[in-house]
Amino acid sequence: MKSWIILFCVVFSQVECIQDFPALDDIRTKTPSYRQADTVKELIRRLIGPRSSDFDVTVDPTIGVTNKDTFKLVNVGNRVLISGTTGVAAAWGFYYYLSQYCNCHVSWGGDQVSIPVQLPKLPSGGVTVTSNDRFRYYQNVCTVSYSFAWYNWTQWEREIDWMVLNGINFALAFNGQEAIWQRVYLKMGFTQAEIDDHFGGPAFLAWFRMGNLRGWGGPLPQSWHVQQVSLQHKILQRMRDFGMVPILPAFNGDVPNALTRLYPNAKVTHLSDWGGFNSTYCCTLLLDLNDPLFKTIGKAFLDEYIKEFGTDHVYNTDTFNEMSPPSGDPAYLSGAGKAVYNALTAADPRAVWVMQGWLFLGTGFWTAERVKAFVTAVPLGKMIILDLFSEVQPQYKRLQSYFGQPFIWCMLHNFGGTMSLYGSVNSVNTGPYFARSLANSTMIGTGLSMEGINQNYVMYEFMLENAWRSKPRNIINWVQNYSMRRYGSFDSDITYAWKKLMLSAYNCTDGERHHRQDAVTHRPRTRLSFNVWYDPKDVFIAWDHFIHAANKFQSSKLFKYDLVDLTRQSLNLLSISLYHSMIEAYNKKNFSLFLQSSESLLTLLLDLNDLLATDEHFLLGRWLESAKSLATNERERQLYEYNARNQITLWGPSGNILDYASKQWAGLVEGYYYPRWQKFVTELLHQWNDTFNEKQFNYDVFKYVEEPFTFSRSLYPTVPTGHQIDVATKLYKRYRPMATTELSSLFNHLAHTSDSWARLKEKLLYVKVSGMEFMLG
């Protein structure tokens, strides 16, 4: 048996070189302490019901150090008293007690809150925890579309509860902004038709707001504006009641094309095409940031927004997102940075600008000189930069801690809300501590900046703990405790399985942007390649141990969720092997092997659909029905359903960003992915003696499968069918022997198609990664 991978944590010296930023002192809650405490008590009642009487909560800003959050836990008789510097800190302290003392767990996939009858005792002097940094940030500007597009208040209430339980005190709050823009544009003289042509649809608002596209998925109904304004009031009220600081939207220069009708002398530029959209939706009009009209419009928007929603003096705007500025002259870029900041302060003299640092990645445009010109045009401390992809491609090192501007170390982790098992656990374990320890570091927080949620929860809980942990963890010990909290008890099989996963699928170190590792969700081609960085055998072994432990966890919803997820991943790996076998047979004209491999692949897809149908978290119907539930008439229902279907498939009118936001959901596998692969197999057979016409296939599969799916009104279940353990066990018995026989073939294919896999196989016995030393047995 392959020996364990043994990890040794290197203790980081916690010499803090963090600079202080008095300019950030305005960013603090204005909510009275008693109201924050009452809001936390209400949360506790929502989460644990009658057991909430075992806890008391107070909020006292004086119990901790300045500009950090502190909570204290003490026993008072048979109860626990939680004190926090803010409501967020108190809620955080409550969850700290639940997770660290009661073995409980709260996550996107569900809760395990079996609290002992007798509350566990704290140390005699109680427990005091202080945050490492000022802020714990949450969201990506894309999350509002990939995950929150159809959220109602019930879902938002749950999400905000989850935020504060995990200590998040700094989060985007973007709902309702199109309603405010509509008011501003109408006052300026735009027609309603011109505004409708500008706004994107509900599932694509993130990219409309960043200026990447216009009009796609629209127009927005007036009922949408009414709903979103009402929802935003509830979101902001609850965030503020907890003591959170919501980050509001601001102007980035993107304007309707009709601006030149009203202001013919305005200095504007059509940005380049983004995502291959045609002229109807692409090449948005950017008002030059140095044009005086920029400040006028920016101020008008914030004035109206603050009038409606109030303010906490923090605003996000991202100009030039995935677009190159009109000029690379440092003087121009400096002027652009000043213009954005001046537009903010014209409406709010205390404004702080939060920007995503994504634009600085992966492009030769943003040299250090240009970045410095752009960010230092804003007074130090009046701009906060989200180092968006710190765990894989950190920019704070290259850019000298953003030349003095404060930044937040973020784990991006996920693109499009896709669902493959993935993580860079070593980097997440050590990166924040390294960033804090740099000389003259300007790091002021940690954050989650994923594009989509509801996947790979283990990585998010691991990252969130960096907010209070004093040093990197022993990953082996941590994941054992994680599994105990998640399922409510210890089990050796489960511990072994999670160790295998954490040190394989969740231990990516190749520095690549990983997205999907499956054949299922790709449009079929004869030359697909897959980047799998780990030994697939480790996932299959983890699957063995989950199945072996299944009977013990029949009553655990979270275990069954994870079993479905792990079985899904195992079938995904087999889909790669079956795909390669099928293509190899086609290329060698081995008809019998082709029929066998193609039939096995298609059967696997249907079996995968049956598996996913057993758990509510993997149902297409829930996504579609939540979209339609926001409609007030049939026309809106059609529009919203089309938005929901298009985002997760074609992502554009002609497959512009095809399958970027793919989901492995029951209904989507059977109704979209399976027909694509079925058509592919059919066409390969039809062209058996000819060269496969891939261009014609792409046209046909779009016309007859993909586009029709986006316009379909077919209904899909919103409640599960079948039992997770029964179906997973049945599929395990069917496919696990295949995994054994296919492993050598799969390894060979991965070795040829994945640099990551090749590098993995060549690792030396001992490896050091960012302060972590581990041994490969």
Side-chain angles (χ1 to χ4, degrees), residues 2-253:
K2 183 178 179 180
S3 62
W4 283 109
I5 299 178
I6 305 171
L7 278 78
F8 304 93
C9 288
V10 176
V11 179
F12 271 70
S13 173
Q14 288 297 295
V15 176
E16 293 211 356
C17 304
I18 308 296
Q19 297 184 32
D20 189 30
F21 293 96
L24 297 177
D25 290 347
D26 282 335
I27 306 179
R28 60 182 73 254
T29 181
K30 299 186 287 287
T31 303
S33 296
Y34 74 87
R35 180 60 191 142
Q36 295 181 58
D38 287 346
T39 307
V40 176
K41 292 174 186 177
E42 292 164 5
L43 178 160
I44 295 173
R45 281 193 289 272
R46 282 192 295 275
L47 185 64
I48 61 173
R51 293 302 301 273
S52 61
S53 61
D54 292 339
F55 299 88
D56 199 8
V57 177
T58 64
V59 171
D60 181 356
T62 68
I63 66 171
V65 298
T66 303
N67 296 327
K68 293 185 179 181
D69 269 328
T70 296
F71 61 79
K72 294 184 177 182
L73 310 173
V74 295
N75 287 116
V76 179
N78 293 324
R79 304 173 74 224
V80 172
L81 172 63
I82 306 164
S83 303
T85 49
T86 62
V88 173
W92 197 12
F94 169 65
Y95 186 56
Y96 179 93
Y97 181 78
L98 285 189
S99 61
Q100 303 301 311
Y101 287 88
C102 300
N103 207 36
C104 292
H105 180 79
V106 177
S107 72
W108 294 324
D111 307 331
Q112 190 285 110
V113 288
S114 298
I115 301 173
V117 175
Q118 184 71 36
L119 288 182
K121 289 293 183 181
L122 294 157
S124 57
V127 172
T128 299
V129 174
T130 296
S131 65
N132 290 323
D133 312 293
R134 186 189 293 247
F135 296 122
R136 280 82 59 202
Y137 168 81
Y138 185 56
Q139 290 187 54
N140 184 300
V141 294
C142 297
T143 321
V144 296
S145 291
Y146 283 134
S147 295
F148 304 148
W150 315 115
Y151 268 27
N152 57 29
W153 170 240
T154 300
Q155 292 164 302
W156 267 112
E157 181 176 55
R158 162 75 183 189
E159 190 70 15
I160 296 169
D161 283 353
W162 175 87
M163 291 183 208
V164 296
L165 287 170
N166 286 284
I168 292 166
N169 64 347
F170 201 48
L172 298 182
F174 271 21
N175 293 64
Q177 60 183 284
E178 284 68 38
I180 305 303
W181 275 118
Q182 179 172 260
R183 296 178 198 173
V184 171
Y185 287 148
L186 287 173
K187 289 178 182 178
M188 291 176 63
F190 290 93
T191 67
Q192 187 62 53
E194 290 168 340
I195 297 170
D196 289 343
D197 286 343
H198 184 55
F199 290 157
F204 302 97
L205 288 176
W207 302 277
F208 155 72
R209 292 165 178 171
M210 288 185 283
N212 299 132
L213 50 78
R214 59 186 177 84
W216 173 244
L220 287 178
Q222 292 305 307
S223 63
W224 175 268
H225 296 312
V226 172
Q227 289 174 347
Q228 294 301 304
V229 167
S230 175
L231 184 58
Q232 179 72 337
H233 275 292
K234 293 177 181 178
I235 291 168
L236 290 174
Q237 186 64 57
R238 182 59 57 81
M239 286 182 170
R240 288 165 176 160
D241 283 350
F242 274 123
M244 291 180 68
V245 175
I247 304 167
L248 304 180
F251 182 47
N252 68 356

Side-chain angles (χ1 to χ4, degrees), residues 629-671:
S629 70
L630 300 183
T632 62
N633 56 50
E634 182 57 27
R635 184 176 180 180
E636 291 175 9
R637 273 188 286 276
Q638 291 184 25
L639 175 67
Y640 294 173
E641 182 171 2
Y642 177 77
N643 268 253
R645 286 172 176 263
N646 185 274
Q647 188 209 82
I648 59 176
T649 54
L650 291 177
W651 211 125
S654 56
N656 305 69
I657 313 178
L658 182 68
D659 299 319
Y660 179 87
S662 63
K663 304 293 185 292
Q664 293 185 40
W665 289 337
L668 192 59
V669 173
E670 183 179 41

Side-chain angles (χ1 to χ4, degrees), residues 665-682:
W665 289 337
L668 192 59
V669 173
E670 183 179 41
Y672 180 74
Y673 301 128
Y674 178 84
R676 287 204 307 195
W677 281 99
Q678 185 180 47
K679 184 167 185 58
F680 180 66
V681 169
T682 301

Side-chain angles (χ1 to χ4, degrees), residues 708-723:
F709 175 85
T710 65
F711 287 110
S712 173
R713 304 299 305 283
S714 299
L715 298 176
Y716 292 93
T718 57
V719 295
T721 56
H723 189 276

